[in-house]
Amino acid sequence: MAYIGRQQSSGAFLKLDSISSQFNGSTTTFNLSIGGDAFFPDNPYTLLVSLGGIIQEPITSFTIVDDQIAFAAAPTAGANFFCVVLATTNVAPLKTLTVGSRSGAKTLDLHGRKLAIIDRSGTKHGIPFNLA
């Protein structure tokens, strides 16, 4: 029998590494990664987070800063965790970045490092990269 209804979505859905082994009842901030590489979500609304079997509400229950998730309350030790990225534009690992310059192109080795640019006024602007 053919499928009846709206066609199922497919796309760049990713599952983050589990952080449940780090839960101790007092820590609220944890690093996010996929396959051991740092992951920088676009915003918290692109994540489906389950903590102890309960879906968490973005901003109210957790926030994202760079490659870290901060929960409003510390997860209890032994709590289950999973997180699915519902949308991302980066589906291939970004390991290097080639930047053109007046004296030729330069290749930067990223591997989870953060890149920053200093503008003419001397202000530093961080640029996060998704590595998954």
Side-chain angles (χ1 to χ4, degrees):
M1 178 176 199
Y3 179 77
I4 299 173
R6 198 171 111 203
Q7 188 68 8
Q8 295 294 314
S9 297
S10 63
F13 302 109
L14 304 168
K15 186 175 180 183
L16 276 78
D17 296 338
S18 180
I19 55 174
S20 60
S21 65
Q22 301 172 45
F23 296 163
N24 60 13
S26 60
T27 304
T28 58
T29 303
F30 304 90
N31 294 326
L32 297 175
S33 63
I34 295 179
D37 289 328
F39 182 77
F40 296 84
D42 294 331
N43 70 66
Y45 294 102
T46 63
L47 302 178
L48 176 66
V49 176
S50 174
L51 185 59
I54 300 170
I55 301 299
Q56 303 296 300
E57 182 179 359
I59 306 302
T60 302
S61 300
F62 70 92
T63 57
I64 300 295
V65 176
D66 292 330
D67 64 338
Q68 295 184 324
I69 186 168
F71 292 105
T76 58
N80 292 330
F81 168 87
F82 76 84
C83 181
V84 175
V85 181
L86 300 175
T88 183
T89 57
N90 189 6
V91 294
L94 178 63
K95 300 293 184 187
T96 61
L97 177 67
T98 302
V99 180
S101 70
R102 291 182 183 158
S103 61
K106 307 290 183 196
T107 299
L108 307 172
D109 179 15
L110 299 175
H111 290 285
R113 297 184 187 104
K114 295 178 183 176
L115 178 68
I117 294 176
I118 299 176
D119 65 21
R120 290 183 177 143
S121 70
T123 304
K124 185 177 177 180
H125 303 277
I127 302 172
F129 290 96
N130 274 342
L131 297 177

